[in-house]
């Protein structure tokens, strides 16, 4: 099972002076169980790309298939396939609308026709997933929560749909470091426990490098790099061209290497970096 | 130096006397002087934005006072004077655009004040120059990049001849390039025009650029000092749920393994220099 884009091209405002091709002839397969991060500069086409994955945008050319079903054919099969893909937009808190946190999260599963108990179960599970205490928050108005809490309610609303593929467009923008780590830990958890495929859109390398097992770098509407994080960060030039930073840890280790310290600069976490620096200093001292 | 913002025993309660009453700010005291560059950090819900909204009278104290350049914010007849002194830039650039051309967007504030049109023109010119957006004056703001939109928003505040800019997570939505653009613009305004900056952020590498960092927790000021004094307290900030700059984090962990390093490292540069000296 997978999501496949075949020769997908999308042009905004075609045949007007504002015409702009946002993605060009994209071929991509995302398989069930992957944890993929799509990164790129503003305007690189990453948001346009992911809006194809659940059929929100229809490619001008090419096709999108979810689990083998063409999303843009007519009929029930395509509708069901679209439901497999859940999407958390940028600033999802702008889409909150219900009077209570509970009602907002329950809205999706109710619409899917879930029975009351199932809805309740899903709401509780989703709230637990985003770390919102059920008793404290279920009756609160979502509009009187802090920005980070609102974000979590909105994410819970999509998680409650239990999609097979979960797309999140910049889920951590505007969250404090704690909220950010929290969301990411929960995503890793969800990925591990339920084998939900996670597709994350971000421009922050630091965030995604540690989590994803596959990175896709977008540049001017095309895929410029695609592979495991350690591989991607070796392509410093291509990353620079795409306007994407290497993670701060990598940047720091690069500087140390230039300064003469013998270390592996393809390290992605602070702990590994510290270990590598210590080992390198010891080697220096012993010779 | 002139006390530009003076907050005394400030308390702010959302939904006072209702079931969902929430005390966002507790008995807060704070003075910001003219010409300072202050960063405010703290977790979501610590009261940063609530505090910032007091600085230009978008919110008024439930009790206590907030005095801007000598004017109490709850003197309602002085509202416009206060808003002219303190300009706000918010997180989402798309929510702050009002006009269809960049120059019209920037002119919106002074036009509303009834500033003569020659004067408006020169203010717009100066504001565009200050944020490095002259060549975009005839562009449609909604088609600009996020960083450019934020610079337009900043220019809008400058056209009001604001003394102080309050920026509430201005880079949260931006890519690395946009973040750099906004930060450089802000630093420039502070250095060249002497504008007082209050900069709320979750990015510690941005907060490091300020002269002073205020740490908020549960509606109060927990800590207040120079970036070096704040960010070397790695353990404390981590416990608060905040980040420290990467170099401070790495130095902290290296020291724990027994490597001797100065206690005040907060930038990559300093760490590289210190490590090079140690071998």
């Amino acid at each position: 099972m997978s999501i496949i884009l075949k020769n997908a091209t999308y042009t905004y405002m075609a045949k007007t002076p504002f015409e702009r091709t946002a993605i060009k002839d994209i071929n991509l397969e995302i398989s069930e169980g992957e944890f993929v991060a799509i990164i790129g500069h503003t305007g690189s086409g990453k948001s346009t790309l992911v809006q194809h994955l659940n059929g929100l945008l229809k490619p001008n050319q090419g096709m999108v298939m979810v689990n083998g079903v063409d999303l843009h054919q007519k009929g029930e099969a395509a509708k069901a396939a679209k439901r497999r893909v859940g999407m958390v937009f940028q600033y999802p808190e702008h889409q909150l609308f219900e009077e209570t946190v509970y009602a907002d999260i329950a809205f999706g599963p109710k619409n899917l026709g879930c029975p009351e108990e199932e809805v309740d179960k899903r709401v509780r599970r989703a709230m637990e997933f985003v770390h919102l205490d059920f008793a404290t928050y279920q009756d609160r108005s979502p509009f009187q929560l802090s920005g980070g809490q609102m974000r979590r309610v909105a994410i819970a609303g999509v998680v409650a749909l239990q999609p097979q593929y979960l797309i999140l467009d910049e889920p951590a923008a505007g969250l404090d470091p704690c909220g950010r780590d929290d969301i990411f830990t929960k995503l890793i958890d969800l990925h591990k426990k339920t084998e939900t495929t996670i597709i994350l859109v971000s421009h922050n390398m630091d965030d995604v490098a540690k989590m994803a097992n596959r990175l896709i770098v977008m540049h001017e509407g095309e895929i410029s790099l695609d592979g495991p994080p350690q591989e991607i960060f070796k392509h410093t030039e291509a990353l620079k061209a795409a306007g994407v930073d290497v993670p701060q840890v990598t940047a720091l280790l690069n500087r140390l290497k230039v300064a003469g310290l013998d270390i592996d600069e393809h390290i992605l976490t602070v702990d590994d970096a510290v270990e590598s620096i210590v080992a390198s200093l010891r080697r220096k001292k012993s010779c | 130096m002139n006390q530009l913002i003076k907050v005394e025993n400030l308390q702010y309660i959302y939904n006072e006397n209702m079931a969902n009453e929430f005390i966002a700010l507790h008995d807060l005291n704070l003075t910001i002087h003219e010409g300072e560059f202050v960063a405010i950090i703290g977790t979501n819900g610590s009261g940063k934005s609530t505090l910032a909204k007091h600085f230009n009278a978008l919110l008024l104290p439930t009790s206590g006072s907030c005095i801007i350049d000598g004017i109490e914010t709850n003197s309602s007849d002085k509202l416009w004077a206060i808003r002219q002194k303190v300009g706000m830039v918010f997180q989402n650039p798309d929510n702050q655009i009002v006009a269809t051309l960049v120059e019209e967007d920037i002119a919106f504030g002074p036009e509303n004040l009834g500033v003569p049109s020659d004067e408006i023109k020169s203010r717009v010119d100066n504001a565009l120059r200050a944020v490095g957006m002259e060549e975009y004056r005839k562009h449609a703001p909604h088609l600009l990049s996020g960083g450019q939109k934020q610079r337009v928003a900043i220019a809008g505040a400058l056209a009001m001849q604001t003394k102080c800019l309050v920026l509430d997570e201005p880079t949260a939505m931006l890519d690395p390039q946009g973040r750099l653009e906004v930060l450089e613009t802000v630093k420039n305004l502070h250095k060249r025009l002497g504008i007082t900056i209050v900069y709320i952020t979750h990015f510690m590498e941005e907060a490091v650029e300020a002269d002073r960092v205020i740490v908020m927790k549960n509606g109060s000021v927990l800590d207040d000092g120079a970036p070096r004094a704040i960010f070397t307290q790695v353990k404390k900030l981590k416990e608060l749920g905040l980040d420290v700059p990467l170099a401070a984090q790495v130095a902290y962990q290296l020291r724990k393994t027994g490597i001797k390093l100065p206690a005040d490292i907060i930038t990559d540069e300093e760490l590289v220099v210190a490590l090079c000296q140690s071998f």
Side-chain angles (χ1 to χ4, degrees):
Chain A
M1 298 224 236
S2 62
I3 302 183
I4 296 176
L5 282 186
K6 236 187 224 164
N7 305 103
T9 296
Y10 188 84
T11 306
Y12 283 103
M13 300 200 261
K15 298 181 186 126
T16 75
F18 303 107
E19 177 174 295
R20 199 168 68 86
T21 301
I23 59 169
K24 295 170 201 157
D25 197 25
I26 297 274
N27 286 292
L28 175 66
E29 175 164 12
I30 294 172
S31 304
E32 198 185 5
E34 283 194 282
F35 195 134
V36 183
I38 302 178
I39 41 187
H41 194 254
T42 310
S44 61
K46 51 193 194 319
S47 292
T48 306
L49 176 70
V50 293
Q51 286 177 51
H52 281 81
L53 304 182
N54 68 344
L56 272 180
L57 292 177
K58 185 181 175 192
N60 302 114
Q61 283 150 42
M63 70 189 300
V64 188
M65 292 201 296
V66 173
N67 299 343
V69 179
D70 180 352
L71 281 191
H72 298 285
Q73 72 190 27
K74 287 209 168 68
E76 281 306 312
K79 266 192 200 163
K82 281 178 193 164
R83 285 201 204 109
R84 296 263 168 206
V85 190
M87 174 88 142
V88 179
F89 287 95
Q90 272 182 35
Y91 283 74
E93 58 272 25
H94 292 166
Q95 300 162 47
L96 297 171
F97 67 101
E98 275 282 10
E99 283 181 12
T100 67
V101 167
Y102 186 98
D104 208 286
I105 300 172
F107 181 80
K110 266 188 190 157
N111 262 353
L112 290 181
C114 294
E116 202 66 36
E117 293 142 60
E118 172 69 13
V119 170
D120 191 67
K121 217 165 78 189
R122 287 190 181 201
V123 172
R124 284 169 190 268
R125 211 183 295 148
M127 285 183 71
E128 195 195 324
F129 166 70
V130 297
H131 250 213
L132 283 172
D133 182 60
F134 185 78
T136 316
Y137 289 102
Q138 62 161 327
D139 293 327
R140 293 271 295 269
S141 159
F143 300 100
Q144 286 169 351
L145 302 175
S146 78
Q149 290 166 336
M150 285 167 86
R151 174 82 48 91
R152 287 189 263 165
V153 173
I155 293 177
V158 179
V159 170
L161 294 168
Q162 300 187 350
Q164 184 183 2
Y165 304 93
L166 178 60
I167 306 172
L168 303 103
D169 196 349
E170 296 283 0
L175 293 188
D176 61 33
C178 197
R180 176 201 63 204
D181 291 346
D182 204 37
I183 293 274
F184 287 154
T185 318
K186 291 294 179 178
L187 284 179
I188 294 171
D189 228 38
L190 186 73
H191 176 246
K192 259 195 215 143
K193 282 198 192 135
T194 63
E195 287 173 8
T196 306
T197 309
I198 310 273
I199 301 162
L200 201 65
V201 178
S202 178
H203 36 231
N204 190 334
M205 269 298 198
D206 287 277
D207 290 347
V208 300
K210 290 175 270 187
M211 299 191 290
N213 43 39
R214 176 176 173 197
L215 293 187
I216 295 173
V217 179
M218 295 285 296
H219 180 43
E220 293 178 349
E222 291 172 281
I223 293 173
S224 81
L225 295 167
D226 183 349
Q230 285 86 344
E231 281 304 309
I232 299 287
F233 297 130
K234 289 180 185 160
H235 300 272
T236 330
E237 286 309 307
L239 287 174
K240 211 175 261 171
V244 175
D245 285 346
V246 296
Q248 286 185 53
V249 177
T250 313
L252 175 64
L253 293 179
N254 274 330
R255 289 185 70 165
L256 286 171
K257 193 164 186 167
V258 170
L261 218 52
D262 163 36
I263 33 184
D264 174 11
E265 74 271 37
H266 303 300
I267 279 171
L268 300 173
T269 68
V270 174
D271 291 344
D272 290 349
V274 169
E275 213 169 281
S276 168
I277 294 171
V278 171
S280 152
L281 287 177
R282 295 227 167 94
R283 278 198 298 277
K284 283 258 178 195
K285 288 212 170 110
S286 65
C287 61
Chain B
M1 244 194 286
N2 184 15
Q3 297 181 342
L4 191 61
I5 297 175
K6 190 164 177 61
V7 171
E8 278 177 324
N9 306 324
L10 174 64
Q11 189 182 43
Y12 187 78
I13 305 177
Y14 284 102
N15 307 310
E16 202 180 1
N17 301 325
M18 281 163 56
N20 50 5
E21 178 175 290
F22 177 69
I23 305 177
L25 297 174
H26 290 275
D27 200 26
L28 195 138
N29 290 288
L30 180 69
T31 304
I32 294 174
H33 293 97
E34 203 165 338
E36 278 194 289
F37 181 172
V38 180
I40 303 182
I41 60 174
T43 56
N44 288 124
S46 63
K48 309 183 296 293
S49 296
T50 305
L51 178 63
K53 285 178 186 153
H54 279 83
F55 294 161
N56 74 343
L58 281 176
L59 293 178
L60 299 176
T62 306
S63 66
S65 66
C66 178
I67 301 164
I68 305 301
D69 208 11
I71 310 172
E72 279 237 30
T73 54
N74 57 11
S75 32
S76 56
D77 53 324
K78 299 279 178 54
L79 196 59
W80 299 111
I82 292 166
R83 299 235 167 112
Q84 235 177 302
K85 287 180 197 291
V86 181
M88 284 275 258
V89 174
F90 296 99
Q91 189 181 93
N92 191 339
D94 292 316
N95 292 351
Q96 314 173 60
I97 292 169
V98 293
T100 51
L101 287 182
V102 166
E103 60 176 4
E104 286 173 8
D105 196 84
I106 297 169
F108 181 80
E111 268 173 1
N112 271 347
L113 291 181
V115 174
S117 58
D118 294 354
E119 163 85 16
I120 290 181
K121 197 180 165 303
S122 80
R123 284 195 190 186
V124 171
D125 289 345
N126 290 337
L128 278 169
R129 201 172 317 119
V131 300
M133 290 286 290
E134 297 107 308
E135 52 190 299
Y136 293 94
R137 75 162 49 228
K138 298 284 183 196
H139 282 235
H142 69 280
L143 296 176
L144 299 175
S145 74
Q148 291 170 334
K149 283 179 194 168
Q150 287 298 53
R151 281 147 69 199
V152 171
I154 293 171
L158 294 179
M160 298 287 280
Q161 300 189 325
T162 187
K163 278 190 165 181
C164 172
L165 260 185
V166 178
L167 303 106
D168 191 353
E169 292 188 46
T171 59
M173 277 251 48
L174 308 181
D175 62 18
Q177 171 66 31
R179 277 170 54 189
L180 204 64
E181 277 173 26
V182 169
L183 187 64
E184 286 305 316
T185 306
V186 168
K187 276 162 66 180
N188 221 334
L189 295 177
H190 174 245
K191 215 172 14 188
R192 294 241 194 98
L193 304 180
I195 292 180
T196 311
I197 307 285
V198 178
Y199 195 99
I200 298 177
T201 185
H202 288 313
F203 295 110
M204 302 309 150
E205 63 271 26
E206 293 179 357
V208 165
E209 302 283 347
D211 314 321
R212 175 179 168 198
V213 178
I214 292 172
V215 186
M216 288 195 60
K217 189 193 177 188
N218 295 337
S220 310
V221 172
L222 184 78
D223 213 344
D224 182 347
R228 201 173 292 283
I230 300 289
F231 287 123
T232 44
Q233 307 174 52
V234 176
K235 194 155 166 263
K236 187 169 158 195
L237 288 175
K238 285 274 162 189
E239 277 165 8
L240 273 176
L242 295 173
D243 277 341
V244 293
L246 177 71
Q249 171 77 34
V250 171
Y252 171 75
Q253 288 185 225
L254 284 173
R255 275 194 299 273
K256 279 211 295 201
T257 70
I259 293 172
K260 288 202 174 54
L261 285 172
D264 62 346
I265 290 174
I266 56 171
T267 69
D268 281 8
E269 181 72 45
E270 291 162 4
L271 181 62
V272 171
V273 169
L275 277 174
C276 286
Q277 280 165 357
S278 79
F279 60 76

